Amino acid sequence: MPSRKSASTETCPVARSIDVIGDRWSLLIVRDAFDGVSRFGDFQRSLGAARNILAERLRRLVEAEILTTRPASDGTAYQEYVLTARGERLFPLVVALRQWGEQHLFERGEPHSTLIDRSTGQPVPFMAPKTSDGEPLEPDGTVVKKLQ
Amino acid sequence: MPSRKSASTETCPVARSIDVIGDRWSLLIVRDAFDGVSRFGDFQRSLGAARNILAERLRRLVEAEILTTRPASDGTAYQEYVLTARGERLFPLVVALRQWGEQHLFERGEPHSTLIDRSTGQPVPFMAPKTSDGEPLEPDGTVVKKLQ
DNA sequence: TCACGTGGTTGCATTTTAAAACCAGGGTGC
DNA sequence: GCACCCTGGTTTTAAAATGCAACCACGTGA
């Protein structure tokens, strides 16, 4: 695919986000990172991605300051990849992906993994945009204000 | 890229979602659809995507029942693409992409489009996962329960 | 009816991705 | 110290996706 125009001049935040993490592997890497995966080999085994692609994506995510590297916590001289504060704020995005998938891509009764609230042991409630009064906000109730 | 393993056997909803909408254009198409775009030509002009790619993506999104086609509302014999109920439920995902992008991919003061609550004229509040008590839920406070 | 807009499809060049082989350095057993 | 394996990649080469431009069928509008 010739010439991927960088979205760094885009004024739409959705487009810029997709430019950074909107590919096949990056979001799955982030998902695994939330799940505690941190080593190259563990990502590779978990995702089944080609090693060169995985290496390139990890490099991009580090460049984008979504992941950072640090010495492995198990005492070996190897490094591990962990989420930065910016990466951790992708949590709502991963939850949104998960909740939409749960509701629309599985047959009724078909087994799937679930996100659990540790403090209660219950599934995390459905997340949706709200007004400042806490009322549910439908797409029709919003409008994108463009600039200029 | 040889043999993209379909994620239809995946038990992780995040992976299945990404399999359906996790490519460069699909989410931008959905974003435009939320923004009221519905005609092939309008998508093409808005996105700048190649026409064959756009056609293929629209076909996939219709197949996935995220978009549907119907006769154009302007009286012409052409068709338009509109979000289905399932597609509308991608709203939280698009909002999550937007809010993360707004907070992390723009310099302070750099202009960007904003999502406005029509009823108040104010920006839509930040959306994040909550416990059933309405308390903010951090990644550390959750765990993915795997099956089997 | 005749040109033009819409909504595509087709063919070809370019770029990404994938798979597998290779390799360097750290760690381990002896 | 020396063989040998594990980790974390890089390099090659092939396959697939993407982009671009040309083409085309049908509606529409003058």
Side-chain angles (χ1 to χ4, degrees):
Chain A
M1 358 100 187
S3 73
R4 183 159 70 184
K5 163 174 62 178
S6 166
S8 58
T9 61
E10 238 346 305
T11 61
C12 174
V14 180
R16 282 205 194 177
S17 293
I18 288 175
D19 199 54
V20 176
I21 46 158
D23 76 276
R24 182 158 193 63
W25 294 117
S26 299
L27 273 170
L28 288 175
I29 291 170
V30 170
R31 175 204 63 177
D32 273 5
F34 277 118
D35 212 34
V37 176
S38 65
R39 294 284 284 262
F40 184 94
D42 292 333
F43 282 115
Q44 211 265 318
R45 272 179 291 277
S46 164
L47 299 175
R51 298 156 70 92
N52 53 347
I53 300 301
L54 177 59
E56 201 268 340
R57 288 299 185 278
L58 287 171
R59 193 159 38 230
R60 275 179 54 130
L61 289 171
V62 169
E63 246 172 60
E65 295 177 72
I66 290 167
L67 295 180
T68 189
T69 54
R70 67 175 187 204
S73 50
D74 63 0
T76 63
Y78 301 119
Q79 64 179 356
E80 55 189 26
Y81 295 89
V82 292
L83 290 164
T84 61
R86 172 180 293 188
E88 293 241 343
R89 295 210 194 93
L90 283 169
F91 192 55
L93 179 56
V94 175
V95 170
L97 273 171
R98 166 175 289 280
Q99 294 188 335
W100 185 79
E102 282 179 0
Q103 293 178 20
H104 299 286
L105 302 180
F106 288 82
E107 300 296 326
R108 189 168 302 284
E110 190 182 359
H112 56 76
S113 64
T114 319
L115 190 66
I116 299 293
D117 178 348
R118 274 199 156 106
S119 65
T120 64
Q122 294 303 303
V124 172
F126 184 68
M127 177 191 67
K130 300 274 167 54
T131 68
S132 32
D133 297 338
E135 294 302 307
L137 195 50
E138 299 301 315
D140 294 350
T142 66
V143 61
V144 173
K145 189 172 74 179
K146 297 223 161 67
L147 295 166
Q148 263 62 285
Chain B
M1 11 99 181
S3 75
R4 182 162 72 185
K5 162 173 63 179
S6 166
S8 57
T9 61
E10 240 344 308
T11 61
C12 174
V14 180
R16 280 205 196 178
S17 293
I18 289 175
D19 200 53
V20 176
I21 46 159
D23 77 275
R24 182 160 190 63
W25 295 117
S26 299
L27 273 171
L28 288 174
I29 292 171
V30 170
R31 174 205 63 176
D32 274 5
F34 276 118
D35 212 34
V37 177
S38 65
R39 295 284 284 261
F40 185 94
D42 292 332
F43 281 116
Q44 211 266 318
R45 272 180 291 276
S46 164
L47 300 176
R51 297 155 69 90
N52 53 345
I53 300 301
L54 177 58
E56 201 267 341
R57 289 299 184 279
L58 287 170
R59 194 160 35 230
R60 274 179 53 132
L61 288 170
V62 169
E63 245 172 61
E65 295 176 73
I66 290 167
L67 296 179
T68 189
T69 54
R70 67 174 186 205
S73 49
D74 63 0
T76 63
Y78 301 119
Q79 64 179 356
E80 57 189 25
Y81 294 90
V82 291
L83 290 164
T84 61
R86 171 180 293 188
E88 294 240 342
R89 296 210 192 95
L90 283 168
F91 191 54
L93 180 55
V94 176
V95 170
L97 273 171
R98 166 174 290 281
Q99 294 188 335
W100 185 79
E102 283 179 0
Q103 294 179 18
H104 299 287
L105 301 180
F106 288 81
E107 300 296 325
R108 190 167 302 282
E110 190 182 0
H112 56 76
S113 65
T114 319
L115 190 65
I116 298 294
D117 178 348
R118 277 200 153 106
S119 65
T120 64
Q122 295 302 305
V124 172
F126 183 68
M127 176 191 68
K130 300 274 168 54
T131 68
S132 32
D133 297 338
E135 294 302 307
L137 194 51
E138 300 300 316
D140 294 350
T142 66
V143 61
V144 172
K145 188 172 74 177
K146 298 221 160 70
L147 294 166
Q148 265 61 283

